[in-house]
Amino acid sequence: MGCTNTKVHGVASDWHTLDQLPVEILYRILDELDISTIFQSVYHVCKRIDEILYLYDDYHLNLKLVTLKHLHLISLRIRPHQITKLTLIDDETNPGLLELFLSKYSMNSLTRLRSLTLMQINSEETINQILIPVADETSLLRFSSITIINADETYSGVTIELIMAVLTKTSLRKAYLDISYSRTTSSPLPWLTQSSLRHLTLIGTCAVSFLRNVFIHTPQLETLITDDCEFYSEKALDGSPDENNDDDDDDEDTDDSEEVEIELNANVNNEGNAMIKKEKFATIQSTDCLKFLSLTSLSFTMSKLQWLLDDIPTLKQFHLITTPGYDDESILDGSRWEKFVSNLEKFQFVFSVSISDSPSWNIDTCLSTFGSSFWTDKQWFISIEKYDDMVLLYSLPYLDKNYVFLNAPPSFEYRSTVKINSMLQIEAMKNVRNLYIDTSEPVRNSIENLRHPRFCHVTNMILHGKWTKSDSFFTGIQTVVDLSVVKELNRVERIPTADAIILLNLLSNLQCLRTNTTFLDALNAAKFSYSKCLQYFIIDSEHNEDDRPVNTEPFCTMFPRIQHLNIPVDSVESCKYVLEQLKDDLISVVFQIPNRDGLDDSDDSDDDDDTIGGEDNSTVVAFAEWINDLPKEYHSFKRQRYVHISLK
């Protein structure tokens, strides 16, 4: 900032030790470090550094990144007002941490908190304990961002009212809600008063009537991101049901004083003549500030989509992803889009459309509608692919996606998925973090003319499909992916032993391996040992189809330096062996108890009753008794068929 290189080097030459650095530079260093690193590596370096740590007031505490031991230390060193960003989580990877945090800190004491994230907190008593002081109008808390993520929640009306009270805090500017899938439809989220929100993300079915309610109560909203937007519950003002409406029980009030007539898609009568159907709906009544709108899993027709956009004249950026098998072919007409996206500065989309058998539709005709000067002047370019009776049309480049698929046909297992082919500009790969690769085909052939890598920032690599016998597989994958950046590997199918070893050795910075027991079969006989420290090893119970336990003796030899472990075991003796062999590096472990006694896993309660139908479940009882006898250095508990243990 105005300093020449000679000045910088001249001053820096006098800094012989870390404690001589200016406090401003030390603060910048601390800003880039997570809280565990600070107190493991920086604390007690020297007296001056400790004094700076005592005064530093921008700590980001994420319970997902700390252990019980570290949290005990942190609570002794950090005062509540020094925490500005907080992530509270209560899942199987960090048992006991949330309970410990709440015993050390009260929410009211976090007076400088700017950002709060709550993840997978299933206990309603616990989340209410967190939210009550946050929602209190007299509270001194003035944070600007909140995130609540819990796809399995079953919160009652009390908790929902607390959440809505938080959303109306005058200091709040950004909110992200990913709670139960149907929670955001129509009226179940009752707005209590007007909100000062500027940016809102809603994951879960989002009805148009709810969007209208959001706009009414968030007059300053600038960004709205929704998932699974639907029109089914919207009633026509003339009393006629919507053509997609199977539910006539919606009691959402509509304002008859403001209405819009929508020209629905043409139907064909018995004589073969097209009939235009028109219906009147209440306006969306959007805010005067909305600039960015993202709709994912959109299902309603092109006519209604046009109606929605016409009611948001301030919109500048629009992201749209349809549901799989979207059935309105008119969405593939570029000339029709020109009529109502001309004011946009950015338009990104993924259309997955089921097409009829009519010979009148073809790819060339579709492409020509997106080839006018309107699209070239805007520099909006598209790619199109056809798979049997489905067409995939998407904008280029699509920079905001989370997952990219190579080789595999389009899949919608993950949100915002797009298939990459040779037509996609390389710039579109810059932000990709999660890459799915079908290993049944040569990887290098999936992108033609790719001279430079590639996907340079992929941290999560998912390999799926039959393992190709091609000798060029590893050459191809290294051409496409920078393997030194990959931190997480997901692979559930078997890999030939030699190839599995090569793959693990190529992933030089691997931190997490998520797999099942079939992957381990390839390594059991090879006397393989992964000598580097692996932070997470997870046998995903959802994909462990044969439900086989891990053979712990060879496993501990293969992966002797695991920090966090989640595996199925067949006995208490296996658990004891793991704790003994891996104790030097192990921080936490989740043992999955075998389901040999007919226990129903569908029960989501936290009740640890060890009887089923009045009969003792001997396996569960054995694990429960073992937990009670564990030494004090272990913090442990049993939840359903999982034993959680943290090493203090």
Side-chain angles (χ1 to χ4, degrees):
M1 301 297 290
C3 296
T4 64
N5 288 335
T6 54
K7 287 183 180 179
V8 172
H9 290 307
V11 175
S13 63
D14 295 330
W15 299 339
H16 300 294
T17 60
L18 183 64
D19 67 323
Q20 292 178 325
L21 288 174
V23 66
E24 293 83 3
I25 293 180
L26 286 172
Y27 269 35
R28 291 292 299 273
I29 293 173
L30 294 175
D31 289 344
E32 300 300 320
L33 298 178
D34 65 79
I35 202 166
S36 290
T37 301
I38 291 174
F39 284 94
Q40 288 185 81
S41 304
V42 181
Y43 186 71
H44 274 349
V45 168
C46 65
K47 183 177 180 180
R48 180 171 179 264
I49 298 275
D50 286 352
E51 291 173 348
I52 290 173
L53 292 178
Y54 182 78
L55 296 174
Y56 180 68
D57 59 359
D58 195 16
Y59 285 111
H60 297 181
L61 177 55
N62 185 345
L63 294 194
K64 196 171 183 65
L65 303 178
V66 301
T67 65
L68 277 171
K69 179 181 179 180
H70 296 155
L71 187 55
H72 276 291
L73 175 62
I74 289 168
S75 65
L76 296 174
R77 308 301 180 196
I78 296 180
R79 292 161 294 170
H81 71 270
Q82 294 176 280
I83 300 175
T84 59
K85 187 175 182 179
L86 177 63
T87 298
L88 302 179
I89 184 170
D90 188 24
D91 64 8
E92 68 275 4
T93 63
N94 55 2
L97 275 175
L98 180 57
E99 179 184 355
L100 176 61
F101 173 84
L102 293 176
S103 70
K104 299 291 185 180
Y105 296 96
S106 70
M107 295 301 297
N108 273 326
S109 66
L110 306 174
T111 54
R112 297 189 64 253
L113 190 65
R114 297 197 304 267
S115 174
L116 174 63
T117 298
L118 308 177
M119 300 178 63
Q120 297 306 125
I121 302 178
N122 291 315
S123 169
E124 190 161 3
E125 179 181 356
T126 302
I127 196 167
N128 288 353
Q129 179 184 350
I130 297 168
L131 291 176
I132 287 174
V134 173
D136 189 350
E137 295 180 358
T138 64
S139 171
L140 296 177
L141 295 176
R142 294 291 184 268
F143 59 90
S144 59
S145 173
I146 188 167
T147 298
I148 302 178
I149 300 174
N150 190 353
D152 301 321
E153 65 86 11
T154 54
Y155 301 145
S156 70
V158 173
T159 302
I160 297 303
E161 287 185 6
L162 286 172
I163 292 174
M164 299 310 294
V166 172
L167 294 187
T168 58
K169 290 185 71 71
T170 56
S171 62
L172 198 64
R173 296 294 181 268
K174 184 177 182 180
Y176 182 107
L177 293 183
D178 183 357
I179 49 180
S180 74
Y181 186 74
S182 61
R183 176 66 72 182
T184 56
T185 54
S186 301
S187 58
L189 288 184
W191 291 88
L192 305 180
T193 184
Q194 283 201 340
S195 169
S196 300
L197 281 173
R198 302 287 197 279
H199 311 281
L200 177 61
T201 298
L202 296 167
I203 305 300
T205 305
C206 192
V208 170
S209 56
F210 182 73
L211 289 185
R212 184 182 292 111
N213 211 19
V214 168
F215 288 139
I216 291 173
H217 291 89
T218 57
Q220 302 175 68
L221 193 66
E222 299 175 6
T223 300
L224 177 61
I225 300 173
T226 70
D227 178 77
D228 199 3
C229 188
E230 54 92 2
F231 206 97
Y232 301 129
S233 60
E234 189 74 2
K235 275 191 175 182
L237 294 179
D238 58 7
S240 60
D242 172 34
E243 82 273 15
N244 291 325
N245 187 12
D246 295 326
D247 183 7
D248 293 331
D249 296 329
D250 182 19
D251 57 359
E252 183 73 20
D253 293 333
T254 56
D255 185 357
D256 290 20
S257 63
E258 297 184 67
E259 58 189 47
V260 175
E261 189 172 69
I262 301 180
E263 185 177 286
L264 303 176
N265 294 342
N267 297 321
V268 179
N269 62 16
N270 294 333
E271 287 73 31
N273 299 319
M275 298 183 301
I276 302 299
K277 181 181 180 182
K278 295 183 178 181
E279 292 179 4
K280 294 180 179 181
F281 295 91
T283 64
I284 196 68
Q285 297 176 330
S286 70
T287 73
D288 295 328
C289 301
L290 194 66
K291 301 293 190 300
F292 179 95
L293 177 64
S294 177
L295 304 177
T296 301
S297 299
L298 183 91
S299 59
F300 53 83
T301 63
M302 182 69 168
S303 298
K304 293 173 181 175
L305 180 60
Q306 180 174 347
W307 162 76
L308 179 68
L309 294 182
D310 284 344
D311 242 15
I312 312 177
T314 59
L315 197 63
K316 296 301 179 185
Q317 297 186 39
F318 183 39
H319 290 189
L320 174 64
I321 300 176
T322 66
T323 57
Y326 181 86
D327 59 2
D328 186 355
E329 293 180 18
S330 63
I331 202 172
L332 301 175
D333 185 351
S335 58
R336 184 172 181 182
W337 276 106
E338 294 179 20
K339 299 175 182 178
F340 58 101
V341 295
S342 58
N343 292 330
L344 296 181
E345 297 173 356
K346 192 174 184 180
F347 180 33
Q348 294 180 314
F349 55 87
V350 181
F351 302 153
S352 170
V353 184
S354 295
I355 58 173
S356 63
D357 296 330
S358 172
S360 61
W361 190 95
N362 62 75
I363 287 181
D364 292 336
T365 301
C366 178
L367 285 174
S368 67
T369 66
F370 289 90
S372 67
S373 58
F374 171 86
W375 297 92
T376 56
D377 291 345
K378 289 276 193 179
Q379 295 189 351
W380 294 345
F381 305 105
I382 61 103
S383 180
I384 190 168
E385 301 166 30
K386 188 174 184 300
Y387 302 90
D388 298 327
D389 60 348
M390 189 188 78
V391 168
L392 185 72
L393 179 74
Y394 52 91
S395 57
L396 297 174
Y398 195 82
L399 297 177
D400 296 323
K401 57 191 163 295
N402 292 320
Y403 280 83
V404 167
F405 280 60
L406 289 183
N407 295 338
S411 171
F412 292 84
E413 180 179 356
Y414 304 98
R415 293 190 181 101
S416 306
T417 60
V418 181
K419 179 177 180 291
I420 296 296
N421 66 9
S422 60
M423 301 172 64
L424 187 57
Q425 301 170 1
I426 295 197
E427 286 78 9
M429 304 177 187
K430 290 181 179 178
N431 292 335
V432 173
R433 296 293 185 270
N434 305 277
L435 184 63
Y436 177 107
I437 300 177
D438 184 350
T439 56
S440 60
E441 298 291 338
V443 175
R444 192 171 186 176
N445 295 344
S446 61
I447 301 182
E448 299 173 4
N449 303 319
L450 187 60
R451 298 178 181 177
H452 304 285
R454 63 241 191 200
F455 298 95
C456 298
H457 302 291
V458 169
T459 56
N460 177 22
M461 187 168 65
I462 303 163
L463 303 181
H464 181 75
K466 182 180 179 181
W467 193 262
T468 178
K469 296 182 179 180
S470 171
D471 295 335
S472 62
F473 177 80
F474 288 109
T475 303
I477 200 171
Q478 291 180 87
T479 302
V480 173
V481 187
D482 185 352
L483 297 180
S484 66
V485 180
V486 175
K487 295 181 179 180
E488 179 174 345
L489 173 65
N490 284 260
R491 172 73 184 188
V492 296
E493 297 99 336
R494 183 190 295 269
I495 298 178
T497 300
D499 287 351
I501 294 174
I502 293 173
L503 178 62
L504 291 176
N505 287 331
L506 287 173
L507 300 172
S508 56
N509 287 298
L510 187 66
Q511 296 179 5
C512 176
L513 179 57
R514 188 181 295 269
T515 183
N516 66 10
T517 51
T518 60
F519 181 91
L520 294 176
D521 290 342
L523 302 172
N524 276 343
K527 297 183 178 180
F528 169 77
S529 179
Y530 190 83
S531 58
K532 291 178 288 187
C533 186
L534 191 66
Q535 291 187 13
Y536 293 90
F537 187 99
I538 301 170
I539 296 293
D540 193 338
S541 58
E542 292 184 2
H543 295 98
N544 193 30
E545 296 179 355
D546 53 10
D547 198 29
R548 286 186 293 127
V550 168
N551 189 345
T552 55
E553 184 172 348
F555 174 81
C556 292
T557 302
M558 286 187 286
F559 299 99
R561 300 194 58 203
I562 293 172
Q563 293 183 336
H564 303 277
L565 181 61
N566 189 331
I567 59 171
V569 292
D570 58 357
S571 65
V572 169
E573 285 68 30
S574 295
C575 299
K576 294 178 180 178
Y577 185 83
V578 168
L579 294 179
E580 175 62 29
Q581 296 298 313
L582 303 180
K583 61 184 178 182
D584 291 341
D585 292 285
L586 196 62
I587 295 173
S588 71
V589 59
V590 178
F591 292 118
Q592 302 169 25
I593 303 175
N595 189 9
R596 292 178 178 174
D597 302 299
L599 188 63
D600 184 6
D601 292 325
S602 63
D603 183 10
D604 293 331
S605 69
D606 292 333
D607 186 8
D608 279 338
D609 186 7
D610 295 323
T611 61
I612 304 297
E615 297 181 3
D616 286 344
N617 183 327
S618 58
T619 303
V620 175
V621 170
F623 276 91
E625 291 176 348
W626 170 65
I627 292 173
N628 293 332
D629 294 335
L630 281 173
K632 292 183 178 180
E633 63 264 26
Y634 298 112
H635 177 87
S636 62
F637 67 92
K638 183 176 70 66
R639 179 179 294 171
Q640 296 177 2
R641 305 199 67 81
Y642 299 89
V643 174
H644 303 253
I645 298 176
S646 292
L647 282 71
K648 295 183 179 180

